[in-house]
Every structure is written in C-alpha cells, then in structure tokens.
Amino acid sequence: MAYVRNAWYVASWTQDLEAGKPLAMSILGEALVIYRTASGRVIALEDRCVHRLAPLSLGRCEGENLRCMYHGLLYNSDGKVVSIPGQKLIPPSAKVKSYPVVERHSWVWVWMGDSTKADPGLIPPAVGFDDPNWILGRGYLDYQAEARLINDNLLDFSHLTYVHANSFGAGEVFATQQPKITALERGVRVERWIENSHLGARSGFAEPVDSWQSYDFLIPGVLLMWSGGFRAGTAQACNYNRPNYDDAITAVTFTSQAVTPVGNKTARYFFSWGPHCRHGDAALRDMLMALANQAFAEDKAMIEAQQRVIDRTGHAQVMAIKHDLSVTLFNRLLEKWTDEQHELVA
Ligand code: FES
Ligand SMILES: [Fe+2]
C-alpha cells in the first residue's frame, strides 16, 4: 500500500512532548526522535546515533542540543554532531537526518517527504486545545494493523450501525442511508442529516432533533468533524444542505482524528472530542471521551481482526459496495498524489 510522503503526519499531541524528554516515534517505518529544546522549539531527528547506532531517544536534552547517552556525541537541532568527547576533529559526515516539524492545533506535525516542499499551509485546519471555543479531551491508541484499514473505517460510517451498536447507539440509519460525498483537492467531504434523531439526548436534550454531521477526511489520514443538533424540520428547510451552526439548539461538537502509519502493519490513532463551549462543559466532554474510548476499542478489535484475516489470506480480493464510494475516492486521491511525486512507500 502506498502512502503519500510529501505530507504532514501527526507524531504526537503537544501535551505529550515534555520539555527535556526525548520522544521515540516511527512514521512510515522511519524511527524518529522528537524533542523540545530549552527555548521551546520542537525538533525531529533520525533516531540513530552515527557512532554505534544507539537510539538518540535514550539521549539527554542539553539546551537546544541532544546528547547520545552511550558515548556522549552531541547533536545540534539540525542533526549535526557538534562535539565528540575526547577528540577535536568532527567529520563533516557526522550528521543525522532532520525532519521539518511544526507544532499546530496541539499536534506535532512531521513532514516525511522532500523537505524543500514542506509547506505549513498544507497542515489540515484542525482545532487545538488553544481554541477557547471548544472543550476537548484527547487520547491515542496503538494498532496492530496497517493505517489504510483505519482510514477505510473512518471514511465509511455505515459501520456505526453494527460495530458501535452498543456505544454510539447510532441505529439503522447510518447503514441504510447514503451520506453526501464530495471530492476535495486533498480529501473527501462526508455530510449527512439524520432527521428526528435522539443524538441530542447525550447533551440532555430530550426531544428529537435533526442531527447534522460533516467531516473532511484529508491526506494523509486526518478526520475533522463538526456536528450539531437542530430543531426538527431544519434538514428539510435547508433542503438537506449545510446548516448554519449558529442555529443549532444542542450537541455542537468537534472531533479530530489522525491516523499515522508507524510501520507496515502498525499505526497510531490520535483523537480528540468535545462540545462547543455554548453547548456543553467539562462533564459532557468527559462523558463523550468515555464513549469515544469504548467505541474506538470496538473499531480496534474489528480492524485488528480484519488485519489477521488479510495476513492469513495473502492477496485477498475485496468487493466494493455502495458505501465504499468515499473509500474509493480517497484511495484514488492517494494514488494521484503519490504518482505525481513518484515517491511510493511500500
Ligand atoms: S553510539 Fe552514540 S555516542 Fe556512541
Ligand atoms: Fe468506528
């Protein structure tokens, strides 16, 4: 399976990157060490000392630099060795790869491709914990499955009816009705109205509402979703188009989810969820996060089991159904971007 190299991948929640504590993370099979310098910058380097290949993630942060704690080689934030204990001469080749990295929307984004093309404008417009309008919780899960299977899962919510019957309690409608699907330049937009829904009940709203959900699933595998509950009849009044969120009467929430391929058959799945500050509080956020943890464990159990079947059957043939339109569109987009870059990762 191909993944786009020229893209920003989520490596960590910024809150999980403690100052002075190097973090080990692999993306697309490349082992990285990520650390925050004394001045607060975030640096991503290859996690492999040039001396005898010890991981730099076991190293020590010293100001802006990182010291390998095996024999003490000191690296600057460009990955260049600047000190070798016991010798004056530093070979010019004493350097590890450094990766473009940006901290934005409470995520640490690493560019895995050609560093001259690392445009921060391509970072998906997520919502971070610095936005006072949202009361968010966060987490991540490690998968023993390839990232593509998680992307496929997030692109097609018809599985909610079955996988999440006990958690989200989404009912039949996700499986029986097609959402509106729109191709974007770097992703797919999935929108749906659910009329006379009880989804507002989670926010303490007893009457049925028209529930609107809209998400963008963007390269390389980032889901940004806004939802809201509206007065019954709003869907029809909007002609089933996008409503104005200011008219929502309940349950306006945001979730971001990012799928990072760690290795060939491993992935890390980052997620946040919570209400808009006019539609909930920290208690509602905690309730939503408990629900998310239950639901995402259901996805993980199914997807890891799916991976085991794929491994057992070798080149298994899939059979597309109508709900796979968004999956097909996104995979075509991935092929297009990887083809254009001639940079495939097996
Ligand atoms: S392996 Fe890093 S200094 Fe020796
Ligand atoms: Fe799911």
Side-chain angles (χ1 to χ4, degrees), residues 67-82:
R67 188 180 296 280
C68 176
M69 287 303 277
Y70 199 175
H71 311 94
L73 266 66
L74 185 68
Y75 292 80
N76 72 9
S77 55
D78 296 327
K80 199 172 166 352
V81 175
V82 291

Side-chain angles (χ1 to χ4, degrees), residues 81-273:
V81 175
V82 291
S83 167
I84 302 177
Q87 90 179 44
K88 281 216 170 64
L89 184 75
I90 298 173
S93 62
K95 190 177 187 324
V96 293
K97 184 173 174 186
S98 80
Y99 295 79
V101 54
V102 172
E103 214 172 352
R104 188 175 289 179
H105 315 308
S106 303
W107 268 332
V108 175
W109 302 86
V110 177
W111 181 266
M112 295 303 294
D114 177 351
S115 59
T116 62
K117 295 184 176 154
D119 172 9
L122 294 175
I123 292 175
V127 173
F129 286 72
D130 48 351
D131 186 331
N133 289 314
W134 300 93
I135 303 166
L136 301 173
R138 69 188 165 84
Y140 73 79
L141 277 176
D142 282 326
Y143 264 77
Q144 296 298 317
E146 67 169 298
R148 175 183 65 90
L149 299 180
I150 311 171
N151 291 346
D152 293 353
N153 168 281
L154 295 173
L155 281 155
D156 169 15
F157 276 13
S158 67
H159 78 272
L160 263 70
T161 303
Y162 302 100
V163 176
H164 304 309
N166 295 326
S167 52
F168 289 140
E172 291 285 309
V173 65
F174 279 85
T176 53
Q177 284 183 17
Q178 299 291 331
K180 180 181 172 196
I181 291 167
T182 314
L184 308 173
E185 199 197 348
R186 285 177 74 87
V188 177
R189 177 165 294 165
V190 181
E191 297 168 311
R192 52 162 60 80
W193 276 106
I194 299 162
E195 295 175 273
N196 283 311
S197 141
H198 289 280
L199 289 174
R202 279 184 212 144
S203 305
F205 203 82
E207 289 163 37
V209 294
D210 282 359
S211 173
W212 165 257
Q213 294 185 346
S214 169
Y215 67 88
D216 291 351
F217 195 79
L218 303 167
I219 285 175
V222 177
L223 177 147
L224 306 176
M225 171 162 147
W226 288 264
S227 312
F230 295 77
R231 243 171 247 299
T234 307
Q236 212 176 15
C238 289
N239 206 15
Y240 297 93
N241 289 317
R242 172 177 291 262
N244 182 345
Y245 280 100
D246 290 341
D247 298 337
I249 51 173
T250 186
V252 175
T253 67
F254 170 78
T255 172
S256 60
Q257 302 171 23
V259 182
T260 300
V262 170
N264 261 349
K265 290 182 184 171
T266 47
R268 186 165 285 184
Y269 171 51
F270 299 90
F271 52 88
S272 74
W273 197 18

